[in-house]
Amino acid sequence: MLSITPPPPSIGETAYRRIRADIIFGRLAPGQKLKLEVLREGYGASVSTLRELLSRLASEGLIEAEGQKGFVVTPVSATNLREIAAMRLLLEGHALAQSFAAGDMEWEGRVVAAHHKLVRMERRMLAQDRGEPETWKRYDWEFHHALISACGSRVLLETHAAIYDKYLRYQMVAVIFRGEIAAQEHQTLLDCALRRDTASAVAVLTRHVDGCVEHTLAGGTLPHGADEP
């Protein structure tokens, strides 16, 4: 059977993906003003195209409109991190249960393969080789996504991915790496998946996410929300 090569992404779509990645990975900092002329030079898209892209990113909650002043990268706060973490747990915990119930041998293979790549990168990080944070977080995402990939709901997977990206932005902004603790939690999640132990997996996931949140807040790098002391 002949394979059909998909057309390359448009200039606008390429610019959208680059800007979105730069926000998530912290290259465009929280609160940074997004000036159209600067973006035009940096991303190679027209001003009219950029306006459309920024409106798209605003609908995703990654940037905010400042009335007639333009756009800024959405600021970060302790309150917002807690809200995002709680939503991630709600979605991922439900998806884990569905995925563990429906997962087959192909699913197990995806989970094991994703964990193998992640554990190799974590060992490098533990050895103080921290020069590839984006690769590390991509492997982290691939593992967590593999765990829930058999849940049977595209809407659930897409919603989880959007929340995960917002959660990831906090990790990149705060430079989060909890070392051996996180690595052991990933190993336990793998073990739970292979024996289909949903209750234990959800408990581990909760410790995993809550631990990351507390580690971030302990670093004192995030401003508090209006409802916090």
Side-chain angles (χ1 to χ4, degrees):
M1 181 182 293
L2 294 175
S3 61
I4 300 176
T5 303
S10 65
I11 292 174
E13 184 64 23
T14 298
Y16 163 77
R17 294 178 186 178
R18 288 181 57 201
I19 295 171
R20 192 177 191 280
D22 285 348
I23 292 171
I24 291 169
F25 286 103
R27 291 185 288 268
L28 291 173
Q32 181 175 335
K33 292 185 180 298
L34 299 174
K35 298 180 180 179
L36 290 173
E37 285 302 320
V38 175
L39 295 177
R40 182 180 63 81
E41 294 178 5
Y43 296 97
S46 68
V47 169
S48 60
T49 296
L50 286 167
R51 286 197 181 98
E52 294 177 4
L53 300 184
L54 294 180
S55 295
R56 183 178 172 185
L57 290 164
S59 71
E60 297 178 30
L62 293 173
I63 67 174
E64 295 179 354
E66 285 194 317
Q68 300 300 316
K69 298 180 181 179
F71 294 90
V72 298
V73 178
T74 299
V76 294
S77 73
T79 298
N80 185 243
L81 172 58
R82 289 193 177 101
E83 291 174 347
I84 290 170
M87 182 58 68
R88 177 188 169 183
L89 282 173
L90 180 66
L91 295 169
E92 197 165 329
H94 177 66
L96 277 176
Q98 301 299 313
S99 194
F100 282 20
D104 56 12
M105 288 292 290
E106 292 297 323
W107 169 75
E108 285 190 10
R110 293 196 300 271
V111 171
V112 171
H115 181 263
H116 174 73
K117 290 193 295 183
L118 176 59
V119 76
R120 291 287 296 272
M121 181 57 69
E122 286 175 332
R123 286 172 183 167
R124 288 173 56 180
M125 299 281 286
L126 288 167
Q128 304 306 312
D129 179 3
R130 303 188 182 183
E132 299 182 64
E134 293 185 22
T135 301
W136 160 49
K137 294 314 300 181
R138 185 174 78 249
Y139 289 167
D140 183 83
W141 153 252
E142 289 177 1
F143 175 61
H144 284 280
H145 178 71
L147 286 169
I148 66 173
S149 62
C151 72
S153 171
R154 188 175 74 175
V155 172
L156 178 55
L157 291 173
E158 289 174 349
T159 306
H160 172 265
I163 288 295
Y164 189 96
D165 281 348
K166 293 180 180 181
Y167 181 86
L168 171 58
R169 185 167 78 110
Y170 275 90
Q171 291 186 302
M172 299 307 296
V173 168
V175 194
I176 296 302
F177 179 60
R178 292 189 299 127
E180 190 63 44
I181 294 174
Q184 184 56 55
E185 288 167 346
H186 285 142
Q187 178 64 54
T188 305
L189 282 170
L190 172 64
D191 296 341
C192 290
L194 295 180
R195 66 174 185 265
R196 305 299 199 275
D197 185 349
T198 300
S200 295
V202 171
V204 173
L205 178 66
T206 301
R207 291 200 305 272
H208 186 66
V209 173
D210 287 348
C212 182
V213 170
E214 295 309 313
H215 186 85
T216 302
L217 298 180
T221 58
L222 301 182
H224 291 290
D227 59 334
E228 296 185 79

